[in-house]
Amino acid sequence: MGMLSTAAYVLTMDMFGPIADNAGGIVEMSQQPESVREITDILDAVGNTTKAITKGFAIGSAALASFLLFSAYMDEVAAFAQVSFEQVDIAILEVFVGGLLGSMLIFLFSAWACAAVGHTAQEVVNEVRRQFIERPGIMDYSEKPDYGRCVAIVASASLREMIKPGALAIFTPIVVGFVFKLLGRLTGHPLLGAKVVASMLMFATVSGILIALFLNTAGGAWDNAKKYIETGALGGKGSDFHKAAITGDTVGDPFKDTAGPSLHVLIKMLATITLVMAPIFL
């Protein structure tokens, strides 16, 4: 109830960022004076901060949901197995290995999500270069670019590139649970599969929360660092500081807009899959 009572304010703060960002884009495309762009840049910097706050709220709600689903998983395993299942001992080697796999899953998923953005961005850059060569009038606004082609590249690539991280999130808990279930059957530990999956879910949730907070905050900080330099600080636009900040922002955008928010979904999905698949781990 506490989280729901502030939901309206959180949604409002979440909308502020994209609106300010789009306003800046409209100002640039409509060739407004530099003074207008300076104002929208300040608003955009504030928007990055509000987005970081709301993403922290989102990861908090995801953590709460995952904890509740984890409790439900423990209860479901106990109900199916007809034995008490109230704790998971990570001193057992196989259970500890499951925890390591859970933590590694978060890092691999984040890496693939960031790489997907890089690959797609490169495709867009190549398309833009092609259009500049074929339509030189774009630079002096005498010709219109083919926006649809760029949108199509981004839309198709976003679907294609997310297959691999999505499959990783769905199949990892199922495969781990099934493999350790067979191992438990051979070694005389019937609940081993369920315990390993529980450990994996716990470690993945804790790692996911921390990594998501890091990605969201670092991405926003890099973006704002670039905007701060563009106001004239540390040499302003064109300086080495500015070039370094642009590189940071290029890494920061997939951090705060792709990998970070995706982890909220990932930890909730892992908890849901383990809950639904609990019977096959026994």
Side-chain angles (χ1 to χ4, degrees):
M1 285 304 295
M3 293 188 86
L4 283 172
S5 63
T6 57
Y9 304 109
V10 172
L11 285 169
T12 306
M13 287 196 293
D14 208 17
M15 285 180 69
F16 182 94
I19 291 168
D21 204 346
N22 281 6
I26 292 165
V27 165
E28 205 166 280
M29 288 172 73
S30 57
Q31 297 172 276
Q32 297 292 317
E34 190 64 29
S35 57
V36 181
R37 180 65 192 175
E38 285 169 11
I39 295 166
T40 56
D41 276 349
I42 294 166
L43 290 172
D44 196 7
V46 175
N48 283 332
T49 310
T50 62
K51 277 194 289 185
I53 295 165
T54 56
K55 283 168 184 169
F57 181 91
I59 196 66
S61 69
L64 183 63
S66 296
F67 176 73
L68 296 172
L69 288 167
F70 180 74
S71 300
Y73 170 76
M74 301 282 276
D75 292 341
E76 189 179 9
V77 170
F80 273 101
Q82 299 295 310
V83 292
S84 177
F85 187 61
E86 294 178 354
Q87 57 190 35
V88 179
D89 186 2
I90 61 167
I92 300 167
L93 178 62
E94 292 88 348
V95 177
F96 183 68
V97 168
L100 283 177
L101 290 171
S103 294
M104 287 158 62
L105 169 67
I106 298 296
F107 284 92
L108 184 58
F109 181 90
S110 302
W112 281 356
C114 289
V117 175
H119 297 153
T120 309
Q122 191 59 53
E123 286 183 39
V124 174
V125 168
N126 292 336
E127 172 62 21
V128 170
R129 284 174 178 161
R130 184 189 66 78
Q131 289 195 28
F132 279 163
I133 292 165
E134 291 179 5
R135 303 181 186 187
I138 292 171
M139 296 300 284
D140 59 13
Y141 297 93
S142 61
E143 279 187 273
K144 273 197 170 184
D146 181 5
Y147 298 116
R149 180 75 191 119
C150 288
V151 172
I153 288 170
V154 174
S156 61
S158 63
L159 294 169
R160 187 179 67 247
E161 295 280 357
M162 282 296 114
I163 292 170
K164 198 163 67 166
L168 179 77
I170 292 166
F171 292 115
T172 303
I174 297 171
V175 171
V176 167
F178 201 71
V179 168
F180 281 97
K181 166 190 163 181
L182 296 176
L183 186 63
R185 191 180 291 172
L186 293 172
T187 56
H189 295 90
L191 283 182
L192 186 65
K195 287 178 180 176
V196 170
V197 170
S199 170
M200 180 181 157
L201 180 58
M202 275 194 288
F203 277 66
T205 302
V206 173
S207 300
I209 292 164
L210 296 174
I211 295 293
L213 286 170
F214 161 69
L215 294 176
N216 291 335
T217 310
W222 267 325
D223 198 347
N224 280 4
K226 186 192 76 171
K227 286 185 171 55
Y228 174 62
I229 292 168
E230 286 175 351
T231 60
L234 302 170
K237 288 184 179 179
S239 66
D240 286 343
F241 287 104
H242 187 232
K243 290 171 187 172
I246 289 171
T247 305
D249 189 28
T250 307
V251 180
D253 277 340
F255 268 31
K256 69 183 172 68
D257 296 327
T258 307
S262 298
L263 289 178
H264 310 169
V265 183
L266 175 66
I267 62 173
K268 282 185 277 196
M269 192 164 75
L270 283 174
T272 307
I273 289 166
T274 53
L275 182 63
V276 172
M277 293 294 176
I280 73 160
F281 306 145
L282 300 172

